[in-house]
Amino acid sequence: MEQNEVLVKLDDISQAYGRGSRRFMAIQDINLAIRESEFVALLGPSGCGKSTLLRIVVGLQKPTTGQVIYRGKPLQGVNPQAAIVFQTFALFPWLTVLQNVEVALEARGLPDKMRTPRAVDLLDRVGLDGFETAYPRELSGGMRQKVGFARAMAVEPELLCLDEPFSALDMLSAESLRGELLELWTGGNIPTKAILMVTHNIEEAIFMADRVVVMDKAPGRVVADLPIELPYPRNRKSPPFTAMVDHVYGILAGHTEPEHVELGTAPGEPGHTRALPHASINELMAILEWLEESPGDQFDIYIVAEELRLDSDSLLRLTDAAELLGFATVAQGDITITPLGEAFAEASILGRKDILATRLRRLPLFRWLMTLLRAAGSQQLNAKVVETALELEFAPEEVARQMETLINWGRYAELIAYDDEVFYVEPDSATKVA
Ligand code: ADP
């Protein structure tokens, strides 16, 4: 197959920060080529060097070693062919929406007379028709971000870089802006040749990009480079989409075992139904936060137990839960938090719910419970029905523990509700986006 021209190439890029004994490698030996017509997502836990890499790509920062090659030539200084959209775009509050875009056109040297019609056209393309005379304070977060996109577009960048562009928006605005950007991109209505987007949202990366580059930290490096060959517009609920999401979660969680060995099977299926470890999500949070905040990567389990004043039984249940959910790995008496576990510990409450929901949907017991609930006419089930089914798999005292854990985890992730001995499907649990 004929390949498109390479737009930007990173050759053995490394970046060190700090001095003397505090010097460390933020990113090490990154080699990456981005070709024309590619939409690449850079995914990884915070601190893995995504923003550093983005600044290096556009020339805002010179790497400690290595070279950025743009269209075959070493990049010197800031790349005039690139633009960055940040998480929250700094608009000039004293200028109108139209003037905010005109400023960017002026900086590009566009003659006076051409600025206004061009700015109006750009605002129209991002869906801000009619808001030209509004001031930034009158706009919602989503609309302000659209002005940011229009401004980035004003410089007609060949390479559009996006640094977590949707993460400061509420869920609905983020989703509509993602759709609009994809329409502009796939419709070929912008002169942009390639997009590089930093995100730590797995579903967002797979929803938008046609290539996902996964990074890990300490030192920041590329651990996977995956083509996403799903046609646009993508359906978050389609099996190939969810399989891809699971695959990337697996990489970030560091799993190597085949899923059925690791997770067990669902009740009624041949094979062993794996009991959920009896651990509450709040207890799990405490241990993950401790691991994430303590200096170092790997800890002796019994030191963790002492620090957190846990008896060995509670500790085992918690480490078991952390492993099952992909938040930590345990080997030879040591526990290590995974990038996914770090992302979970650092996320907002909503972010945690989303991560947990995606993880729980993979667990056979949850898959089974959700299928049962959806099959029930009113999307609700009496606890007794679930209990009876579980009794075929587990001893009576274990059934009670499984019920408790299903309720605790399912409620936290807002997949299910439980009230007065009845299970319900949370209304948006099927469509929830990360
Ligand atoms: P990410 O965007 O993936 O969260 P960053 O590129 O912001 O990662 O940071 C990577 C690592 O480098 C982090 O440990 C961060 O604290 C450190 N870092 C980033 N910028 C600087 C800087 N200017 N000086 C020192 N350390 C930095």
Side-chain angles (χ1 to χ4, degrees):
M1 202 175 75
E2 201 186 314
Q3 291 218 300
N4 289 330
E5 194 187 330
V6 173
L7 196 63
V8 60
K9 188 158 165 281
L10 304 180
D11 272 349
D12 282 328
I13 298 277
S14 298
Q15 177 72 56
Y17 287 124
R19 283 162 197 274
S21 62
R22 314 194 85 188
R23 189 178 156 90
F24 74 103
M25 297 307 285
I27 52 175
Q28 194 156 31
D29 299 332
I30 306 255
N31 287 288
L32 197 67
I34 299 172
R35 294 174 180 277
E36 286 194 351
S37 90
E38 275 191 316
F39 186 149
V40 180
L42 212 53
L43 188 73
S46 61
C48 72
K50 302 181 296 291
S51 310
T52 297
L53 202 60
L54 207 60
R55 285 199 300 273
I56 291 173
V57 166
V58 300
L60 283 172
Q61 181 173 338
K62 200 172 151 35
T64 311
T65 56
Q67 243 186 349
V68 179
I69 311 286
Y70 195 81
R71 288 207 181 277
K73 299 200 184 85
L75 182 66
Q76 311 280 357
V78 177
N79 187 346
Q81 307 295 339
I84 300 194
V85 175
F86 293 101
Q87 194 178 93
T88 49
F89 211 88
L91 299 177
F92 299 118
W94 59 89
L95 298 181
T96 63
V97 164
L98 186 70
Q99 288 163 339
N100 261 289
V101 180
E102 286 176 342
V103 167
L105 294 168
E106 186 181 350
R108 253 190 81 214
L110 202 73
D112 228 0
K113 267 195 254 134
M114 293 170 70
R115 279 180 219 150
T116 307
R118 179 90 188 101
V120 168
D121 174 51
L122 283 164
L123 287 168
D124 195 17
R125 286 194 214 194
V126 295
L128 280 179
D129 190 16
F131 289 90
E132 293 82 359
T133 54
Y135 284 89
R137 63 170 184 279
E138 299 172 78
L139 305 180
S140 67
M143 288 160 94
R144 261 180 255 154
Q145 197 65 340
K146 285 184 183 183
V147 183
F149 274 104
R151 252 187 27 186
M153 239 66 106
V155 303
E156 306 206 337
E158 283 190 327
L159 177 64
L160 180 62
C161 294
L162 311 172
D163 194 355
E164 304 263 1
F166 311 108
S167 62
L169 306 177
D170 63 89
M171 221 151 84
L172 281 181
S173 316
E175 194 58 1
S176 83
L177 200 49
R178 284 185 197 114
E180 281 163 35
L181 176 67
L182 276 178
E183 246 182 76
L184 281 176
W185 169 244
T186 55
N189 295 329
I190 44 175
T192 297
K193 296 283 196 288
I195 300 182
L196 178 61
M197 175 176 79
V198 162
T199 176
H200 58 243
N201 181 327
I202 298 173
E203 292 194 17
E204 176 177 289
I206 297 171
F207 185 66
M208 303 191 73
D210 37 38
R211 193 176 143 202
V212 173
V213 174
V214 185
M215 292 179 70
D216 198 357
K217 67 181 189 185
R221 61 197 189 282
V222 173
V223 292
D225 192 336
L226 310 163
I228 311 291
E229 282 156 353
L230 306 171
Y232 296 101
R234 291 177 180 166
N235 175 356
R236 283 191 151 92
K237 281 185 270 173
S238 76
F241 188 95
T242 55
M244 200 65 215
V245 171
D246 279 352
H247 182 60
V248 176
Y249 264 104
I251 294 173
L252 284 168
H255 285 302
T256 47
E257 290 259 41
E259 293 236 311
H260 67 279
V261 177
E262 182 200 318
L263 302 177
T265 56
E269 287 176 6
H272 171 66
T273 302
R274 182 170 171 178
L276 299 174
H278 191 49
S280 81
I281 298 298
N282 285 332
E283 288 176 297
L284 189 62
M285 282 304 315
I287 193 167
L288 290 173
E289 279 173 357
W290 186 89
L291 289 171
E292 204 255 326
E293 283 162 14
S294 307
D297 291 326
Q298 211 174 338
F299 298 90
D300 190 310
I301 293 195
Y302 293 95
I303 294 186
V304 180
E306 249 175 51
E307 287 284 335
L308 294 172
R309 297 180 207 289
L310 291 168
D311 59 49
S312 60
D313 177 51
S314 324
L315 182 73
L316 285 178
R317 289 187 286 103
L318 283 169
T319 52
D320 214 18
E323 267 205 304
L324 181 67
L325 295 169
F327 295 157
T329 53
V330 180
Q332 286 144 15
D334 286 335
I335 182 165
T336 311
I337 189 165
T338 62
L340 184 63
E342 286 178 357
F344 185 69
E346 287 165 2
S348 63
I349 294 198
L350 272 180
R352 285 176 184 174
K353 284 183 192 299
D354 285 334
I355 292 178
L356 190 65
T358 313
R359 297 307 287 173
L360 295 188
R361 282 198 212 100
R362 298 168 71 232
L363 297 183
L365 262 179
F366 269 93
R367 250 198 295 121
W368 166 80
L369 179 61
M370 298 305 288
T371 313
L372 275 191
L373 276 169
R374 293 221 178 83
S378 48
Q379 307 238 318
Q380 63 183 61
L381 275 180
N382 199 293
K384 201 78 212 124
V385 179
V386 180
E387 248 168 41
T388 310
L390 289 177
E391 275 161 12
L392 301 174
E393 305 283 337
F394 304 111
E397 66 280 3
E398 189 55 50
V399 170
R401 283 200 289 265
Q402 291 303 302
M403 291 287 284
E404 213 177 294
T405 307
L406 278 170
I407 294 166
N408 178 273
W409 294 11
R411 271 181 171 165
Y412 192 103
E414 289 184 7
L415 282 178
I416 56 163
Y418 182 79
D419 189 30
D420 212 8
E421 313 228 321
V422 179
F423 283 96
Y424 303 85
V425 180
E426 276 280 354
D428 69 344
S429 66
T431 52
K432 193 169 203 164
V433 290

